Amino acid sequence: MNKITVTTNKKASMSDFYGIFFEDINHAADGGLYGEMIRNRAFEFSPMDNPSYQALTAWKRIEEGGASVSSFVSNKSPFSKRNPNYLILEINKAGTRAGIKNLGYNSGIAVKENESYNFSCYAKSDKPCEITVSIDNAYGEVITEKSLNITSNEWTEYSFTLTSPVDDLSAVLAVTSKQECKFCLDFVSLFPVKTYKNRKNGMRNDIAEMLADLKPKFMRFPGGCLIHDGTLNSDDRNSMYRWKNTIGAVTDRPSRRNNWRYNQSLGLGYFEYFQFCEDIGAKPLPVLPAGYNPHMEQAVPLDEMQEWIDDALDLIEFANGTADTKWGKIRCDMGHTEPFNLEYLAVGNEEVGQGFWDRYDLFHKAIKEKYPQIKIINSAGPFPQGGEFERGWNNAKKNSSDLVDEHYYTSPEWMLANCHRYDNMPSDGPKVFLGEYASWGNTYYNALIEAAYMTGLENNAHAIGLVCYAPLLCNVDYINWQPDMIWFDNHRVYGSANYYVQKMFMNCTGSDLLDVKHDGFDKPITLGSDKISGNIEIEADRCSAKFYDIKIIDIATGNVKTYDNLSFSNGGKAVIDSINSNHYKVEFTAKRTAGDKGFRLFFGKSDDKNLIQWFIGGWQNQDTEVNAQVNGRGSCLDHNIFSVMTGQEYKLCLEVNGRNITTYINGKTANTAIDKQPVMEELYYTASSDDNNIYIKVVNVRDTEITSEICVEGVNGINANVTELSGNSLDDINDFDNPKKVSPKTSALTAVSNTFEYTFPPQSVTIFTVQK
């Protein structure tokens, strides 16, 4: 029988180890965590946000019983110069009912019986006008209503509370009048009275509670690619994310284009982020742009960077400054006199290109000179290895950055192959901030393998400082990206299988990693083949191209085969051959004749979901990447910057030796990668402790039960809770109908001595919380 011995030896601190990452993706803010129930409340939607948008998106005229209504959006005399649009509504003929209604998100505005909702708006009219504000059902029947009189030709705020006598998941907010009149509306708002912690301009309670239940030690916000994907002018609608635009009165926060193709009201801004972090007990970890946009290849000149550096310094003052400082006073005036105690600050997100690191150097120097206690986070790009990844780490070491932000989304098989990724990292120098990671999927299998991988993260707390899964939230009707940890619509929310693994680990992580010893474990099981064999295919990727001098060389046998030239117009691909060899090369010359991307070489292909591909001029024609697909789920094996030029010849070579992959462009090495085989260890385990408990995590990914002897040093007998996730099929998922199909169960365990036997079910995650 194998044995796991948990010692009292503390190996590394884990004080802030697990957190969450809030990115405004999948309508995570507006239509999600942010409590506002009105969509397009300020009539600021624009085709720039999404081609389908216009200023009256989500609004619809009410013309019943012969009524006639004119509605249009103007910006001639706005309430807010930063949000200049407002609605002019003219009721030409009252009929039975006349006005306008807001459709909300998803199926509509979801109201609950006996729950109250705060309505507010700004309005004006040249002549006195009585209007009715109501919550209606989908058939136009009034659920609850109140009247107000618009008596001024100057913008005036009106507010009151509406209480619903019924449950309705598809309601609308209606503004109507029984008289012929003309009036202007702006910032039409409806919030639940019961926001999280009853905050004004606050968070949707059920989603916020799901996040609080994770007990995160930190929260990274507000992104993500939306941080740097934009123009350099802070006044532009599609600018980079500038934090100063997100504070102060919500009416003065300029509506902006979200790079995930929707609108951001910025009602959820930096003050609210900081306050929410405080409410859930998480340290704030804001991310700032560095005046460099790799998406658009734009950069602020180095001699004009002071504005951007000042933004970072001013943010620290806003968070931590006293009332006698400029930005600290602004925070105090917003209602928070105590500092937010900012400790971490990230500069940049998934950055590639020397232009970013030239600018990071300036930020790092200025912040450390003025605020040496702030822990600064550098960037290592969007992939787990490659030239830009190495450049990020080298820059971090040069600057003595406190942490380096690594991101990767992978197949579960990649995680099984890389559970020991950080074992040999030194404990000195910058630490890893694993700021975005997940396996592709929300099945029980994904969650199980992620749990195994997370034991490897915890066991390397000497080198890893912070970890957070991503993305966090997804509105089911506005999906930009999946998988996601938490799913919701306008009235329901559920955690994925991944959520419950994260919650188990985050709720049961001590302040210190403990040394764990093991005996009698079986040899790990290696999956798959030790060579990469299968079909070879060539593709013109979003371009017209010619391919010639095509060869496949079997180095193991010395056999050389040549193939006919290929030509594609506006994309296309062809199978060249198949090969079953441990060592071979594929050589060809390629030339793009038109288009905006480059070429792909597929190899080791058994079907469309299982293959390895080499991108030459991939992702906006900016990289050379080797990517492995397992069951349709991709993992980057190596990445470097490279662009294909039209009309230029490229001599391309792929060499495969076992599972080692090398690519060459014009005789120079472009990528070096290893497609590691997945490995199933007998058990994956880790342990940590705090003042009260010892936490032991054990993951069994095999399809058989495994019995182990567990010894916990330093305790007299065992008094423990056992939280276990087991008994699910690998393809099980949670959904609205079965929100806890994959969720853990808790039981008690006692033993007279400090040693006990436990049988771990097949494909299970088990956590022991042992009282000291």
Side-chain angles (χ1 to χ4, degrees), residues 335-364:
H336 200 283
T337 56
E338 296 300 314
F340 284 118
N341 300 315
L342 178 67
E343 296 180 24
Y344 296 101
L345 182 64
V347 179
N349 170 78
E350 294 187 356
E351 306 295 346
V352 296
Q354 185 60 37
F356 166 75
W357 287 290
D358 290 341
R359 287 157 181 78
Y360 173 89
D361 292 350
L362 304 177
F363 281 90
H364 189 99

mmCIF file of all heavy atoms in Angstrom, residues 335-364:
data_model
loop_
_atom_site.group_PDB
_atom_site.id
_atom_site.type_symbol
_atom_site.label_atom_id
_atom_site.label_comp_id
_atom_site.label_asym_id
_atom_site.label_seq_id
_atom_site.Cartn_x
_atom_site.Cartn_y
_atom_site.Cartn_z
ATOM 1 N N GLY A 335 -16.942 58.651 -1.077
ATOM 2 C CA GLY A 335 -17.566 57.961 0.047
ATOM 3 C C GLY A 335 -16.717 56.937 0.747
ATOM 4 O O GLY A 335 -17.218 56.195 1.602
ATOM 5 N N HIS A 336 -15.424 56.861 0.440
ATOM 6 C CA HIS A 336 -14.562 55.868 1.088
ATOM 7 C C HIS A 336 -13.351 56.587 1.679
ATOM 8 O O HIS A 336 -12.342 56.799 1.012
ATOM 9 C CB HIS A 336 -14.110 54.805 0.098
ATOM 10 C CG HIS A 336 -13.650 53.534 0.744
ATOM 11 N ND1 HIS A 336 -12.430 53.398 1.337
ATOM 12 C CD2 HIS A 336 -14.280 52.333 0.907
ATOM 13 C CE1 HIS A 336 -12.293 52.180 1.816
ATOM 14 N NE2 HIS A 336 -13.421 51.506 1.568
ATOM 15 N N THR A 337 -13.464 56.964 2.956
ATOM 16 C CA THR A 337 -12.406 57.762 3.576
ATOM 17 C C THR A 337 -11.166 56.949 3.908
ATOM 18 O O THR A 337 -10.056 57.478 3.908
ATOM 19 C CB THR A 337 -12.939 58.423 4.855
ATOM 20 O OG1 THR A 337 -13.454 57.406 5.731
ATOM 21 C CG2 THR A 337 -14.043 59.420 4.527
ATOM 22 N N GLU A 338 -11.359 55.659 4.176
ATOM 23 C CA GLU A 338 -10.210 54.809 4.479
ATOM 24 C C GLU A 338 -9.538 54.350 3.195
ATOM 25 O O GLU A 338 -10.204 54.169 2.168
ATOM 26 C CB GLU A 338 -10.649 53.596 5.301
ATOM 27 C CG GLU A 338 -11.204 53.939 6.664
ATOM 28 C CD GLU A 338 -10.187 54.681 7.522
ATOM 29 O OE1 GLU A 338 -9.016 54.221 7.563
ATOM 30 O OE2 GLU A 338 -10.554 55.691 8.136
ATOM 31 N N PRO A 339 -8.233 54.124 3.199
ATOM 32 C CA PRO A 339 -7.563 53.636 1.983
ATOM 33 C C PRO A 339 -8.006 52.229 1.636
ATOM 34 O O PRO A 339 -8.475 51.467 2.487
ATOM 35 C CB PRO A 339 -6.077 53.677 2.365
ATOM 36 C CG PRO A 339 -6.064 53.588 3.862
ATOM 37 C CD PRO A 339 -7.296 54.306 4.329
ATOM 38 N N PHE A 340 -7.841 51.876 0.348
ATOM 39 C CA PHE A 340 -8.159 50.529 -0.115
ATOM 40 C C PHE A 340 -6.984 49.558 0.055
ATOM 41 O O PHE A 340 -7.098 48.378 -0.263
ATOM 42 C CB PHE A 340 -8.582 50.562 -1.582
ATOM 43 C CG PHE A 340 -9.973 51.075 -1.811
ATOM 44 C CD1 PHE A 340 -10.192 52.222 -2.558
ATOM 45 C CD2 PHE A 340 -11.070 50.408 -1.278
ATOM 46 C CE1 PHE A 340 -11.483 52.687 -2.787
ATOM 47 C CE2 PHE A 340 -12.358 50.868 -1.493
ATOM 48 C CZ PHE A 340 -12.570 52.012 -2.246
ATOM 49 N N ASN A 341 -5.849 50.079 0.516
ATOM 50 C CA ASN A 341 -4.682 49.230 0.827
ATOM 51 C C ASN A 341 -4.212 48.426 -0.378
ATOM 52 O O ASN A 341 -4.024 47.203 -0.310
ATOM 53 C CB ASN A 341 -4.991 48.309 2.009
ATOM 54 C CG ASN A 341 -5.346 49.077 3.265
ATOM 55 O OD1 ASN A 341 -4.679 50.040 3.614
ATOM 56 N ND2 ASN A 341 -6.418 48.679 3.930
ATOM 57 N N LEU A 342 -4.003 49.110 -1.480
ATOM 58 C CA LEU A 342 -3.491 48.470 -2.692
ATOM 59 C C LEU A 342 -2.075 47.969 -2.459
ATOM 60 O O LEU A 342 -1.210 48.716 -1.997
ATOM 61 C CB LEU A 342 -3.518 49.481 -3.846
ATOM 62 C CG LEU A 342 -2.979 49.008 -5.189
ATOM 63 C CD1 LEU A 342 -3.881 47.930 -5.775
ATOM 64 C CD2 LEU A 342 -2.849 50.182 -6.155
ATOM 65 N N GLU A 343 -1.841 46.684 -2.792
ATOM 66 C CA GLU A 343 -0.509 46.088 -2.674
ATOM 67 C C GLU A 343 0.070 45.695 -4.014
ATOM 68 O O GLU A 343 1.296 45.679 -4.178
ATOM 69 C CB GLU A 343 -0.568 44.836 -1.778
ATOM 70 C CG GLU A 343 -0.951 45.093 -0.346
ATOM 71 C CD GLU A 343 -0.992 43.800 0.467
ATOM 72 O OE1 GLU A 343 -0.302 42.824 0.069
ATOM 73 O OE2 GLU A 343 -1.703 43.760 1.485
ATOM 74 N N TYR A 344 -0.809 45.295 -4.966
ATOM 75 C CA TYR A 344 -0.357 44.765 -6.250
ATOM 76 C C TYR A 344 -0.797 45.688 -7.380
ATOM 77 O O TYR A 344 -1.885 46.256 -7.353
ATOM 78 C CB TYR A 344 -0.978 43.387 -6.497
ATOM 79 C CG TYR A 344 -0.568 42.313 -5.526
ATOM 80 C CD1 TYR A 344 -1.408 41.936 -4.475
ATOM 81 C CD2 TYR A 344 0.643 41.640 -5.664
ATOM 82 C CE1 TYR A 344 -1.052 40.926 -3.589
ATOM 83 C CE2 TYR A 344 1.006 40.623 -4.793
ATOM 84 C CZ TYR A 344 0.157 40.273 -3.746
ATOM 85 O OH TYR A 344 0.513 39.271 -2.879
ATOM 86 N N LEU A 345 0.043 45.780 -8.397
ATOM 87 C CA LEU A 345 -0.316 46.531 -9.604
ATOM 88 C C LEU A 345 0.323 45.842 -10.805
ATOM 89 O O LEU A 345 1.533 45.604 -10.835
ATOM 90 C CB LEU A 345 0.179 47.979 -9.514
ATOM 91 C CG LEU A 345 -0.172 48.885 -10.700
ATOM 92 C CD1 LEU A 345 -1.682 49.058 -10.825
ATOM 93 C CD2 LEU A 345 0.489 50.251 -10.547
ATOM 94 N N ALA A 346 -0.508 45.513 -11.794
ATOM 95 C CA ALA A 346 -0.014 44.872 -13.011
ATOM 96 C C ALA A 346 0.072 45.903 -14.124
ATOM 97 O O ALA A 346 -0.830 46.726 -14.294
ATOM 98 C CB ALA A 346 -0.926 43.730 -13.425
ATOM 99 N N VAL A 347 1.139 45.846 -14.880
ATOM 100 C CA VAL A 347 1.331 46.716 -16.039
ATOM 101 C C VAL A 347 1.312 45.829 -17.278
ATOM 102 O O VAL A 347 2.178 44.982 -17.465
ATOM 103 C CB VAL A 347 2.653 47.498 -15.953
ATOM 104 C CG1 VAL A 347 2.839 48.373 -17.182
ATOM 105 C CG2 VAL A 347 2.693 48.347 -14.681
ATOM 106 N N GLY A 348 0.279 46.008 -18.115
ATOM 107 C CA GLY A 348 0.177 45.245 -19.344
ATOM 108 C C GLY A 348 -0.528 43.915 -19.177
ATOM 109 O O GLY A 348 -0.696 43.403 -18.061
ATOM 110 N N ASN A 349 -0.936 43.358 -20.316
ATOM 111 C CA ASN A 349 -1.657 42.089 -20.358
ATOM 112 C C ASN A 349 -1.270 41.328 -21.617
ATOM 113 O O ASN A 349 -1.428 41.837 -22.720
ATOM 114 C CB ASN A 349 -3.168 42.339 -20.364
ATOM 115 C CG ASN A 349 -3.962 41.077 -20.647
ATOM 116 O OD1 ASN A 349 -4.139 40.241 -19.774
ATOM 117 N ND2 ASN A 349 -4.442 40.932 -21.874
ATOM 118 N N GLU A 350 -0.740 40.123 -21.435
ATOM 119 C CA GLU A 350 -0.389 39.258 -22.574
ATOM 120 C C GLU A 350 0.441 40.003 -23.619
ATOM 121 O O GLU A 350 0.187 39.910 -24.820
ATOM 122 C CB GLU A 350 -1.656 38.682 -23.218
ATOM 123 C CG GLU A 350 -2.404 37.730 -22.321
ATOM 124 C CD GLU A 350 -3.560 37.036 -23.033
ATOM 125 O OE1 GLU A 350 -3.836 37.342 -24.205
ATOM 126 O OE2 GLU A 350 -4.207 36.180 -22.399
ATOM 127 N N GLU A 351 1.437 40.722 -23.172
ATOM 128 C CA GLU A 351 2.180 41.580 -24.090
ATOM 129 C C GLU A 351 3.198 40.799 -24.913
ATOM 130 O O GLU A 351 3.843 39.874 -24.427
ATOM 131 C CB GLU A 351 2.894 42.692 -23.320
ATOM 132 C CG GLU A 351 1.985 43.510 -22.416
ATOM 133 C CD GLU A 351 0.937 44.301 -23.171
ATOM 134 O OE1 GLU A 351 1.046 44.449 -24.390
ATOM 135 O OE2 GLU A 351 -0.003 44.804 -22.520
ATOM 136 N N VAL A 352 3.316 41.199 -26.167
ATOM 137 C CA VAL A 352 4.356 40.697 -27.059
ATOM 138 C C VAL A 352 4.979 41.898 -27.752
ATOM 139 O O VAL A 352 4.330 42.910 -27.975
ATOM 140 C CB VAL A 352 3.800 39.708 -28.102
ATOM 141 C CG1 VAL A 352 3.262 38.458 -27.431
ATOM 142 C CG2 VAL A 352 2.701 40.340 -28.947
ATOM 143 N N GLY A 353 6.249 41.780 -28.086
ATOM 144 C CA GLY A 353 6.924 42.862 -28.799
ATOM 145 C C GLY A 353 7.794 43.696 -27.873
ATOM 146 O O GLY A 353 7.396 44.028 -26.750
ATOM 147 N N GLN A 354 8.968 44.056 -28.353
ATOM 148 C CA GLN A 354 9.916 44.821 -27.551
ATOM 149 C C GLN A 354 9.347 46.170 -27.136
ATOM 150 O O GLN A 354 9.713 46.727 -26.098
ATOM 151 C CB GLN A 354 11.225 45.029 -28.331
ATOM 152 C CG GLN A 354 12.331 45.716 -27.545
ATOM 153 C CD GLN A 354 12.750 44.941 -26.299
ATOM 154 O OE1 GLN A 354 12.782 43.713 -26.312
ATOM 155 N NE2 GLN A 354 13.047 45.647 -25.220
ATOM 156 N N GLY A 355 8.405 46.692 -27.929
ATOM 157 C CA GLY A 355 7.812 47.979 -27.598
ATOM 158 C C GLY A 355 7.194 48.016 -26.218
ATOM 159 O O GLY A 355 7.237 49.046 -25.539
ATOM 160 N N PHE A 356 6.590 46.905 -25.787
ATOM 161 C CA PHE A 356 6.012 46.895 -24.442
ATOM 162 C C PHE A 356 7.092 46.962 -23.393
ATOM 163 O O PHE A 356 7.001 47.758 -22.453
ATOM 164 C CB PHE A 356 5.167 45.640 -24.212
ATOM 165 C CG PHE A 356 4.831 45.423 -22.765
ATOM 166 C CD1 PHE A 356 3.872 46.206 -22.145
ATOM 167 C CD2 PHE A 356 5.505 44.472 -22.002
ATOM 168 C CE1 PHE A 356 3.582 46.042 -20.801
ATOM 169 C CE2 PHE A 356 5.216 44.300 -20.661
ATOM 170 C CZ PHE A 356 4.244 45.086 -20.054
ATOM 171 N N TRP A 357 8.121 46.136 -23.491
ATOM 172 C CA TRP A 357 9.107 46.087 -22.414
ATOM 173 C C TRP A 357 9.918 47.371 -22.331
ATOM 174 O O TRP A 357 10.357 47.756 -21.250
ATOM 175 C CB TRP A 357 9.971 44.844 -22.574
ATOM 176 C CG TRP A 357 9.166 43.631 -22.210
ATOM 177 C CD1 TRP A 357 8.735 43.277 -20.969
ATOM 178 C CD2 TRP A 357 8.630 42.662 -23.097
ATOM 179 N NE1 TRP A 357 7.974 42.138 -21.022
ATOM 180 C CE2 TRP A 357 7.890 41.735 -22.308
ATOM 181 C CE3 TRP A 357 8.698 42.457 -24.471
ATOM 182 C CZ2 TRP A 357 7.240 40.642 -22.867
ATOM 183 C CZ3 TRP A 357 8.043 41.369 -25.014
ATOM 184 C CH2 TRP A 357 7.325 40.484 -24.219
ATOM 185 N N ASP A 358 10.105 48.061 -23.448
ATOM 186 C CA ASP A 358 10.740 49.378 -23.380
ATOM 187 C C ASP A 358 9.924 50.312 -22.505
ATOM 188 O O ASP A 358 10.479 51.140 -21.760
ATOM 189 C CB ASP A 358 10.870 49.979 -24.787
ATOM 190 C CG ASP A 358 11.892 49.263 -25.642
ATOM 191 O OD1 ASP A 358 12.750 48.549 -25.075
ATOM 192 O OD2 ASP A 358 11.826 49.396 -26.877
ATOM 193 N N ARG A 359 8.618 50.206 -22.576
ATOM 194 C CA ARG A 359 7.727 51.074 -21.799
ATOM 195 C C ARG A 359 7.536 50.562 -20.377
ATOM 196 O O ARG A 359 7.441 51.360 -19.438
ATOM 197 C CB ARG A 359 6.386 51.218 -22.538
ATOM 198 C CG ARG A 359 6.532 52.097 -23.763
ATOM 199 C CD ARG A 359 5.491 51.874 -24.834
ATOM 200 N NE ARG A 359 5.758 52.760 -25.966
ATOM 201 C CZ ARG A 359 6.703 52.537 -26.891
ATOM 202 N NH1 ARG A 359 7.429 51.423 -26.826
ATOM 203 N NH2 ARG A 359 6.914 53.398 -27.858
ATOM 204 N N TYR A 360 7.523 49.246 -20.227
ATOM 205 C CA TYR A 360 7.420 48.701 -18.868
ATOM 206 C C TYR A 360 8.571 49.217 -17.999
ATOM 207 O O TYR A 360 8.377 49.545 -16.827
ATOM 208 C CB TYR A 360 7.431 47.170 -18.895
ATOM 209 C CG TYR A 360 7.499 46.578 -17.498
ATOM 210 C CD1 TYR A 360 6.334 46.318 -16.788
ATOM 211 C CD2 TYR A 360 8.730 46.328 -16.888
ATOM 212 C CE1 TYR A 360 6.388 45.810 -15.500
ATOM 213 C CE2 TYR A 360 8.796 45.826 -15.594
ATOM 214 C CZ TYR A 360 7.629 45.576 -14.897
ATOM 215 O OH TYR A 360 7.705 45.097 -13.618
ATOM 216 N N ASP A 361 9.763 49.273 -18.563
ATOM 217 C CA ASP A 361 10.921 49.741 -17.791
ATOM 218 C C ASP A 361 10.644 51.090 -17.144
ATOM 219 O O ASP A 361 11.026 51.341 -15.985
ATOM 220 C CB ASP A 361 12.145 49.870 -18.703
ATOM 221 C CG ASP A 361 12.656 48.524 -19.207
ATOM 222 O OD1 ASP A 361 12.187 47.483 -18.711
ATOM 223 O OD2 ASP A 361 13.516 48.533 -20.106
ATOM 224 N N LEU A 362 9.981 51.983 -17.870
ATOM 225 C CA LEU A 362 9.697 53.327 -17.365
ATOM 226 C C LEU A 362 8.701 53.274 -16.211
ATOM 227 O O LEU A 362 8.860 53.987 -15.208
ATOM 228 C CB LEU A 362 9.157 54.210 -18.492
ATOM 229 C CG LEU A 362 10.037 54.334 -19.741
ATOM 230 C CD1 LEU A 362 9.338 55.181 -20.802
ATOM 231 C CD2 LEU A 362 11.387 54.953 -19.388
ATOM 232 N N PHE A 363 7.663 52.443 -16.354
ATOM 233 C CA PHE A 363 6.689 52.284 -15.279
ATOM 234 C C PHE A 363 7.365 51.733 -14.019
ATOM 235 O O PHE A 363 7.153 52.232 -12.910
ATOM 236 C CB PHE A 363 5.572 51.319 -15.704
ATOM 237 C CG PHE A 363 4.531 51.917 -16.587
ATOM 238 C CD1 PHE A 363 4.676 51.885 -17.967
ATOM 239 C CD2 PHE A 363 3.396 52.504 -16.065
ATOM 240 C CE1 PHE A 363 3.696 52.423 -18.793
ATOM 241 C CE2 PHE A 363 2.416 53.043 -16.885
ATOM 242 C CZ PHE A 363 2.566 53.008 -18.260
ATOM 243 N N HIS A 364 8.131 50.674 -14.222
ATOM 244 C CA HIS A 364 8.732 49.996 -13.084
ATOM 245 C C HIS A 364 9.609 50.961 -12.278
ATOM 246 O O HIS A 364 9.504 51.028 -11.044
ATOM 247 C CB HIS A 364 9.568 48.802 -13.556
ATOM 248 C CG HIS A 364 10.030 47.929 -12.436
ATOM 249 N ND1 HIS A 364 9.385 46.761 -12.094
ATOM 250 C CD2 HIS A 364 11.053 48.058 -11.560
ATOM 251 C CE1 HIS A 364 10.003 46.203 -11.064
ATOM 252 N NE2 HIS A 364 11.018 46.977 -10.724
#
